[in-house]
Amino acid sequence: MKILLTASEAVPFSKTGGLADVTSALAHAMSANGHDVLLVLPDYPSLRSDDGWKGYTLTPLTETVRVPIGKRDVTAKLLEVRRENSNVRIILVSCPLYFDRPGLYGVDNLDFGDNCERFSFFSHAVLSVCQQLDFHADIVHANDWQTGLVPALLDVKFRSVPQLASAASILTIHNLAFQGVFPEHALMLTGLGSQYFTMQHMEYYGQINLLKTGVTFARKITTVSPTYAEEIQTAEFGCGLEAVLSSRKDDLVGITNGIDPDEWNPATDPLLPSHFNVENWSQSSGKPAVKQHLQSEFGLPERPDVPLFGIVSRLTEQKGIDLLLEIGEEFFSRDVQLVLLGTGNQEFESQLEELGRKYPEKCAIKIGFSEPKAHLIEAGADAFLMPSQFEPCGLNQMYSQRYGTVPIVRLVGGLADTVVDADSKAVNEGVATGFGFRNHTSQNLLDTIDRACSAYRTPTLWKQLVETGMRKDFSWATKADDYLTVYEQART
Ligand code: ADP
Ligand code: GLC
């Protein structure tokens, strides 16, 4: 099958969250299964070092694309990126006017004022790339609000283009909390006429909504876990789109994300000071050595016996940071340690730093984004906290299980689909991998942490949880098959 895949982020070129990991992994998984994948991304030059990306070659193409934006045309150059041993063809749409900025969507928690224009331009450019490069797409697969216009532009503007005449569109929702909502006057930038400013298409409480546009136009909609696919049809999780989504429930499928088993492998991870696997993780040269390194790097006492909790997260309400702050004092009255790496809401950042100053022997807070530190925390911590308010899928709980780090989660969305709570039944059946709670309260979080602490002090139980998690298969192989099924259904 010929698949045009597009998103606003993909590793290693750009990343603010899990979307980036998933875009790349899906492209490579589909390509490994023999499909022809064209991946189109914005080029963010500020994220690129002078020599590009390690292991990738970058070639400017002679083709360009021209996109009508309001009353003018904007031209973009195209850069082709290739990786050794990969058949995925990656095209970066280069338009410094829109994408040569210090952030992807904004700076200092403030969105850029022209985001509607930037991503209308990009969505249109994606389809023009297909035409320019003579890629006869069977599937056009868009992701999140930034490319939500793609299914609509395909139907309204590109059906006469031979390369796109018979393409079926898919939209994947990674996070319903971000919808790309803009004032009505921005409609002229989208390339769609006012006849689409209706409840059935793009209109949302008097504004335009790019994610809704994708939902209403796409032939099939997927989201990143089966539980989230159900949840988003309810008022609690639907972020105002529950009615639109449930009206399309026959075309809505949840497919749990996979993880890249090469990048996240404790036996080979180049970002770790020492390595381990499910057979030897508890030996002193295995996970305990990484724990000690983590404690030393984060300035905590190097104690092997204390349960060390890790967090790597965007610091937003979605991630339940407010619950963590609520339990702060009580949590640190226990014999525990916490390392946290994250960036986001400034209020959360400063309150967390304050906790770190108050409990220097127990709590280490690093504000920032760091791939090496993220890997070190995943591998060195004993347990990983994800008390999310909602979680479409979540990747860190899967990375944690692979690294023998027991996840403690709120059982929502993908967390409910990938973590098995250690209740007595699951423990007896040998399937438990972590600890979960249902209602989003700080008391529930604290109680669940206490359950984990008591399991930590019961070595046979802890060993069982660690090893069951490490043996789980979270790879992309079966997920790619699930996407293929959706692609095939979309084409019938
Ligand atoms: P979301 O996409 O909602 O942020 P996910 O769990 O799907 O949540 O993915 C988050 C990804 O971003 C993971 O790969 C995680 O390790 C990474 N990440 C988040 N914050 C940081 C950070 N401060 N430094 C490094 N990696 C981070
Ligand atoms: C979003 C979600 C997260 C999911 C990721 C990748 O950012 O918040 O739960 O894992 O997308 O699909």
Side-chain angles (χ1 to χ4, degrees):
M1 223 182 251
K2 290 175 89 74
I3 303 157
L4 168 67
L5 180 64
T6 185
S8 59
E9 358 183 328
V11 289
F13 314 109
S14 47
K15 169 165 171 172
T16 64
L19 169 66
D21 303 60
V22 173
T23 306
S24 278
L26 178 62
H28 290 107
M30 295 314 285
S31 166
N33 283 0
H35 302 286
D36 192 357
V37 181
L38 175 66
L39 173 60
V40 185
L41 306 164
D43 177 39
Y44 302 100
S46 62
L47 306 184
R48 194 167 64 223
S49 60
D50 289 344
D51 49 354
W53 298 274
K54 210 162 162 254
Y56 289 78
T57 54
L58 192 93
T59 319
L61 299 183
T62 49
E63 291 89 346
T64 57
V65 290
R66 221 169 69 195
V67 174
I69 286 288
K71 293 199 171 81
R72 62 193 175 129
D73 280 352
V74 177
T75 302
K77 294 185 176 152
L78 303 179
L79 304 170
E80 174 156 6
V81 185
R82 286 278 190 175
R83 185 172 87 174
E84 236 176 81
N85 305 325
S86 165
N87 291 324
V88 177
R89 187 171 188 197
I90 304 168
I91 299 294
L92 304 181
V93 174
S94 165
C95 185
L97 168 71
Y98 293 132
F99 298 114
D100 193 1
R101 309 253 174 116
L104 265 58
Y105 313 119
V107 273
D108 295 338
N109 288 313
L110 259 190
D111 285 349
F112 296 128
D114 59 351
N115 275 346
C116 184
E117 180 169 339
R118 298 169 75 220
F119 288 102
S120 295
F121 162 82
F122 177 66
S123 296
H124 200 127
V126 168
L127 296 168
S128 299
V129 166
C130 208
Q131 181 180 11
Q132 285 291 323
L133 301 186
D134 197 26
F135 185 83
H136 288 253
D138 297 308
I139 292 292
V140 171
H141 185 164
N143 291 272
D144 275 352
W145 71 266
Q146 299 89 340
T147 51
L149 276 179
V150 169
L153 290 168
L154 173 65
D155 281 356
V156 174
K157 295 226 150 172
F158 281 83
R159 282 299 179 198
S160 56
V161 168
Q163 291 85 352
L164 289 160
S166 62
S169 58
I170 312 286
L171 175 79
T172 296
I173 299 171
H174 295 262
N175 194 336
L176 207 56
F178 303 101
Q179 298 183 8
V181 176
F182 301 101
E184 182 188 353
H185 64 73
L187 186 65
M188 56 161 320
L189 303 169
T190 65
L192 298 177
S194 55
Q195 67 272 37
Y196 297 105
F197 190 66
T198 67
M199 238 172 77
Q200 287 69 34
H201 299 106
M202 333 174 61
E203 190 268 348
Y204 178 79
Y205 298 104
Q207 299 194 288
I208 55 174
N209 181 321
L210 300 187
L211 187 70
K212 175 177 172 179
T213 310
V215 169
T216 56
F217 276 91
R219 180 67 201 84
K220 287 272 178 193
I221 304 151
T222 74
T223 187
V224 289
S225 68
T227 296
Y228 194 59
E230 294 297 322
E231 288 171 346
I232 58 179
Q233 298 177 51
T234 67
E236 186 184 354
F237 293 97
C239 301
L241 290 187
E242 56 275 11
V244 183
L245 287 159
S246 62
S247 75
R248 297 226 46 203
K249 66 173 185 300
D250 293 342
D251 291 315
L252 171 63
V253 184
I255 302 175
T256 309
N257 289 329
I259 61 173
D260 181 335
D262 296 328
E263 199 195 328
W264 293 94
N265 182 353
T268 55
D269 189 335
L271 298 171
L272 300 186
S274 54
H275 296 108
F276 55 90
N277 59 34
V278 66
E279 311 293 337
N280 64 13
W281 66 275
S282 59
Q283 290 174 12
S284 56
S285 60
K287 206 169 157 66
V290 187
K291 177 172 175 177
Q292 190 184 13
H293 188 94
L294 173 63
Q295 288 167 321
S296 138
E297 184 156 329
F298 277 73
L300 291 173
E302 293 169 33
R303 290 179 48 200
D305 57 313
V306 64
L308 171 55
F309 294 81
I311 296 185
V312 179
S313 183
R314 288 187 291 117
L315 301 177
T316 65
E317 282 196 1
Q318 173 189 345
K319 302 296 180 180
I321 303 301
D322 46 335
L323 293 195
L324 183 74
L325 288 165
E326 275 171 41
I327 64 163
E329 309 265 326
E330 262 216 75
F331 178 56
F332 291 116
S333 70
R334 290 151 172 76
D335 187 22
V336 292
Q337 290 182 340
L338 172 75
V339 289
L340 178 147
L341 168 68
T343 169
N345 177 313
Q346 275 160 4
E347 186 60 25
F348 285 152
E349 289 181 357
S350 54
Q351 289 183 40
L352 287 165
E353 285 180 318
E354 182 59 37
L355 263 186
R357 279 191 292 273
K358 199 158 170 192
Y359 299 99
E361 302 281 295
K362 296 188 170 187
C363 175
I365 304 291
K366 287 259 190 304
I367 301 301
F369 197 95
S370 158
E371 206 68 42
K373 286 194 180 70
H375 283 243
L376 189 61
I377 293 174
E378 283 294 2
D382 296 300
F384 196 92
L385 291 175
M386 288 182 83
S388 302
Q389 191 179 32
F390 64 94
E391 196 62 74
C393 180
L395 299 174
N396 283 305
Q397 80 281 9
M398 294 190 270
Y399 301 150
S400 297
Q401 288 172 72
R402 195 149 158 74
Y403 280 59
T405 303
V406 174
I408 297 172
V409 305
R410 179 174 179 215
L411 292 165
V412 279
L415 298 173
D417 292 336
T418 55
V419 175
V420 182
D421 176 66
D423 59 20
S424 51
K425 183 167 175 283
V427 169
N428 286 337
E429 289 170 1
V431 294
T433 62
F435 294 89
F437 60 98
R438 288 196 188 277
N439 290 332
H440 193 64
T441 68
S442 51
Q443 190 58 48
N444 282 343
L445 172 59
L446 197 59
D447 291 347
T448 310
I449 289 174
D450 284 340
R451 284 170 62 211
C453 286
S454 114
Y456 183 76
R457 300 199 166 90
T458 316
T460 47
L461 173 56
W462 196 258
K463 178 174 179 328
Q464 181 193 332
L465 298 178
V466 167
E467 294 181 3
T468 309
M470 288 185 86
R471 287 206 167 89
K472 277 183 95 163
D473 177 8
F474 293 114
S475 70
W476 269 97
T478 55
K479 324 290 162 85
D481 292 342
D482 294 341
Y483 274 101
L484 185 62
T485 306
V486 174
Y487 290 172
E488 280 164 351
Q489 288 166 352
R491 285 179 51 73
T492 54

